[in-house]
Amino acid sequence: MLLLQIDYQNIFLKDLDFSLAIEIGIRTIIMFILVLVFLRSTGKKGVRQLSIFEVAIIIALGSAAGDPMFNGEFAIVPSLIVFLFILGTYRLITYLAAKSQTIENLLEGEPMYIIEDGMFTLKEDGDANFAKDEFFAEMRAQNIEHMGQVRTAILESNGQVSFLFYPVDAHKPGLPIYPKPFSKRSEEILNEGDYACTHCAKIEHLSVSSTCNRCGKKEWVLAIDTKREN
Ligand SMILES: [Zn+2]
């Protein structure tokens, strides 16, 4: 019979003794300060919105900083060399991105139109090209009640969404984005009225069930035309 021998000493402590614990403490303080100095020297003011490029830097930095914190086999100076090369590369790429729009778009991504004229933009195959639930939440955070209030929305390269609104007193029905009205969506049309396509947000006056003539889908929800509070 095979007996599973689990060496808890090895899992939890390995070769840890008091002097190694002290060494780990000192290594961690040094590496933490180096990481702070490094992040300050990149010139970033904060980390509220990170681009993909900056996330890559943080990952590279984190893995170079981690090992020498707790592993006695790793010295600090090699990590420092890694830091300097990351910083050099960061500076070089930032410089190139400032010179060339193409390189900047490759690194940071391009701003993308999500809403035009109160409707979702479509790819050639008629598919809206992003996660709608997430975007509805973003719109609700901006006090938007339905798509008819929004003229244009752009997904910026840092993940934020910029909105342009119709005038507050504009009377334009739109796709409701709050969960309760949105949950009443259906392929059936029971009463004649203005309906919004749940896929692309096109508004059509319907009395019978039909497909959206813009995106080809067939799910509708009663449009609303409440005015935006300002
Ligand atoms: Zn549609």
Side-chain angles (χ1 to χ4, degrees), residues 2-182:
L2 185 68
L3 262 182
L4 198 55
Q5 291 269 327
I6 299 175
D7 187 348
Y8 288 105
Q9 167 79 21
N10 191 49
I11 292 175
F12 285 102
L13 295 173
K14 192 101 178 162
D15 303 322
L16 185 70
D17 57 20
F18 185 70
S19 70
L20 181 57
I22 297 287
E23 184 184 326
I24 288 172
I26 295 168
R27 284 166 168 272
T28 302
I29 293 167
I30 294 171
M31 290 314 294
F32 187 70
I33 291 169
L34 286 175
V35 170
L36 285 178
V37 169
F38 176 89
L39 286 177
R40 288 292 297 150
S41 64
T42 60
K44 280 284 292 180
K45 289 276 181 278
V47 291
R48 213 172 69 82
Q49 289 291 340
L50 291 175
S51 68
I52 301 292
F53 174 46
E54 286 154 355
V55 171
I57 301 265
I58 304 281
I59 291 171
L61 194 63
S63 69
D67 288 337
M69 280 188 186
F70 61 83
N71 194 331
E73 307 275 300
F74 291 86
I76 285 176
V77 172
S79 272
L80 199 55
I81 295 172
V82 173
F83 277 27
L84 290 174
F85 272 88
I86 294 174
L87 182 62
T89 312
Y90 177 81
R91 283 278 162 83
L92 177 67
I93 292 175
T94 310
Y95 171 80
L96 292 175
K99 294 271 168 199
S100 154
Q101 188 65 46
T102 313
I103 292 176
E104 188 179 345
N105 289 344
L106 277 174
L107 281 174
E108 308 278 346
E110 284 179 77
M112 186 172 86
Y113 277 87
I114 294 179
I115 296 176
E116 284 178 290
D117 301 322
M119 291 182 289
F120 288 119
T121 54
L122 299 172
K123 285 191 288 193
E124 293 79 37
D125 57 5
D127 220 10
N129 43 8
F130 55 91
K132 216 167 277 171
D133 287 352
E134 219 173 292
F135 185 65
F136 282 176
E138 183 66 37
M139 287 206 283
R140 292 194 290 268
Q142 301 288 329
N143 297 328
I144 296 164
E145 193 177 350
H146 64 88
M147 300 265 299
Q149 297 172 338
V150 182
R151 185 153 62 89
T152 305
I154 288 183
L155 179 61
E156 306 291 356
S157 53
N158 65 4
Q160 281 184 312
V161 185
S162 306
F163 293 99
L164 285 178
F165 296 105
Y166 284 111
V168 174
D169 55 358
H171 187 82
K172 192 177 178 345
L175 173 72
I177 57 165
Y178 274 70
K180 278 185 183 175
F182 192 76

Side-chain angles (χ1 to χ4, degrees), residues 122 197-202 212-217 220:
L122 299 172
C197 168
T198 58
H199 187 71
C200 74
K202 172 117 172 28
C212 173
N213 63 19
R214 181 166 177 255
C215 72
K217 297 282 192 317
W220 302 92

